[in-house]
Amino acid sequence: MRALAGPEQMAVVLRAALAAGINHLETAPAYGPAETFLGQGLASLAAEGLGPHGGWRITSKLLPLGDLEAGRRQLTAILSRLGIPRLDSLAIHGLNRPEHLEWASHGAGAELLAWALGEGLVGQVGFSSHGGNDLIEAALATGRFSFCSLHLHLFDQTRLPLARSALAAGIGVLAISPADKGGRLYDPPPELLADCDPFHPLELAYRFLLDQGISTLSLGAEQPQDLAWAAALAGPAATWLSPAHRAALERLAAAGRERLGPERCGQCRACLPCPSSVPIPELLRLRNLAVGHGMGVFAGERYNLIGRAGHWWEQSNAEACRHCGDCLPRCPHQLPIPELLADTHRRLAAAPRRRLWG
């Protein structure tokens, strides 16, 4: 997704992945030229006889739209760009709305997935989702999917119960971008570094997810050094979190609670539904990160995507709050939610920024 300078850069990242013991590559047609560059990088390494034991495991993704013939053309184009005859895994990319689930489970998408499996063009099918928990739960319950890609992060644990249920049912779980979407942890602020000392925040984030049993982490490498922690953590581990790691995580949580004081949102979601459709827990989660851990840059990036990323992200920011007070009696911590939402907007609102790809 991020090694977009050209096939040479992609090949350099692939070499670093190989050296780190990585054998799974995930991409998508929606990631600009990344899929094409990946195919060229794979060809370059293959010409030198380089590859992991047992070969690469490759995942790509299709957007949930179009009829069966359009889907067949999309899949054929994916295989052509990657230069391979078969995908190990094919995911529905962004199963974010009920109509997407209908497409994938009963509509043209269901026909496409059955055709792809029947023709031996893919080994298994799954989905990625940026949608709500109810939608993800419904998708997992269909029994049609062998894996899912979800936002599972040290600093956003709301989907962990879904991940545990999926894993218990034998469904693979990939954590989407713990390094970037999980908080820009590759570039942590001073407060966060101090809170996690003596460990790096990204190491703790990776270890936390692996300790939860998450089967795959998406690392989003742009350059070889982005895979340094993958190399450091490679190989079997009797325990991902030692007593020292657990103590650091406890200190991290305590530091956030201390800085936020009585204004900390506990993410219980009792405030929902909001009559104005304000995503209160998500907005106050971003405030928690900005105030509690100095993660204002990350929180600002996410906040300023609201309403600008279609169904991939929230649609309403804190300005949509009408101060009706409907949420106040439901909050078990008696938070002044409208005031905190206004403070969130003052802290995080900025001019729109360009996304990584269009």
Side-chain angles (χ1 to χ4, degrees), residues 246-281:
R246 294 185 187 278
L249 288 172
E250 290 173 5
R251 290 194 300 273
L252 170 66
R257 288 194 298 268
E258 181 177 356
R259 294 191 188 103
L260 285 157
E263 295 180 343
R264 177 180 176 271
C265 173
Q267 297 289 287
C268 68
R269 307 181 74 81
C271 54
L272 298 178
C274 169
S276 300
S277 299
V278 178
I280 298 170

Side-chain angles (χ1 to χ4, degrees), residues 13-355:
V13 170
L14 286 175
R15 291 175 191 277
L18 188 62
I22 290 170
N23 70 341
H24 179 205
L25 309 171
E26 188 209 31
T27 187
Y31 296 160
E35 196 173 61
T36 297
F37 292 164
L38 180 57
Q40 293 170 335
L42 288 170
S44 176
L45 266 66
E48 301 176 37
L50 298 177
H53 179 72
W56 295 103
R57 303 288 186 259
I58 300 179
T59 297
S60 193
K61 304 188 283 291
L62 286 172
L63 294 170
L65 47 85
D67 59 19
L68 175 59
E69 286 306 313
R72 286 175 172 173
R73 289 194 296 271
Q74 285 191 71
L75 179 54
T76 300
I78 287 172
L79 296 173
S80 176
R81 284 189 292 268
L82 291 171
I84 57 176
R86 175 183 180 274
L87 280 173
D88 294 281
S89 305
L90 174 67
I92 304 302
H93 193 181
L95 201 156
N96 301 337
R97 289 179 171 173
E99 57 265 34
H100 298 157
L101 179 56
E102 176 65 23
W103 181 89
S105 57
H106 298 103
E111 295 181 82
L112 172 64
L113 297 179
W115 171 79
L117 287 167
E119 293 294 316
L121 297 176
V122 302
Q124 63 174 346
V125 298
F127 67 91
S128 71
S129 181
H130 300 239
N133 285 8
D134 290 346
L135 180 67
I136 295 169
E137 186 174 20
L140 292 171
T142 64
R144 291 180 173 271
F145 302 109
S146 300
F147 68 96
C148 60
S149 301
L150 306 176
H151 280 283
L152 302 160
H153 307 304
L154 173 60
F155 290 103
D156 184 2
Q157 301 179 22
T158 57
R159 292 175 180 81
L160 272 178
L162 288 170
R164 294 190 190 103
S165 296
L167 291 164
I171 297 172
V173 178
L174 181 148
I176 298 173
S177 187
D180 185 31
K181 303 299 192 300
R184 294 185 89 253
L185 300 182
Y186 54 87
D187 184 24
E191 297 96 320
L192 187 57
L193 283 169
D195 292 345
C196 296
D197 187 64
F199 304 105
H200 193 282
L202 188 51
E203 178 189 0
L204 286 180
Y206 285 160
R207 287 184 177 277
F208 170 80
L209 291 170
L210 292 167
D211 182 71
Q212 294 292 317
I214 304 306
S215 41
T216 306
L217 307 184
S218 173
L219 307 185
E222 180 181 5
Q223 51 198 349
Q225 51 265 45
D226 292 336
L227 299 175
W229 282 115
L233 298 177
T239 176
W240 289 110
L241 290 177
S242 69
H245 294 124
R246 294 185 187 278
L249 288 172
E250 290 173 5
R251 290 194 300 273
L252 170 66
R257 288 194 298 268
E258 181 177 356
R259 294 191 188 103
L260 285 157
E263 295 180 343
R264 177 180 176 271
C265 173
Q267 297 289 287
C268 68
R269 307 181 74 81
C271 54
L272 298 178
C274 169
S276 300
S277 299
V278 178
I280 298 170
E282 181 58 34
L283 302 188
L284 295 188
R285 183 181 76 87
L286 295 178
R287 185 182 184 275
N288 281 356
L289 297 181
V291 176
H293 298 294
M295 297 167 67
V297 173
F298 168 74
E301 285 181 354
R302 302 306 294 170
Y303 187 82
N304 290 289
L305 271 179
I306 294 173
R308 301 185 177 111
H311 55 75
W312 297 90
W313 187 227
E314 306 291 358
Q315 293 300 301
S316 299
N317 68 17
E319 286 188 306
C321 175
R322 298 180 180 177
H323 296 258
C324 68
D326 187 79
C327 55
L328 293 175
R330 297 201 299 269
C331 178
H333 304 291
Q334 299 181 316
L335 293 177
I337 292 174
E339 296 175 22
L340 294 179
L341 288 173
D343 181 69
T344 300
H345 189 75
R346 283 193 297 270
R347 289 176 181 273
L348 302 181
R353 298 179 61 182
R354 183 181 179 275
R355 297 181 72 191

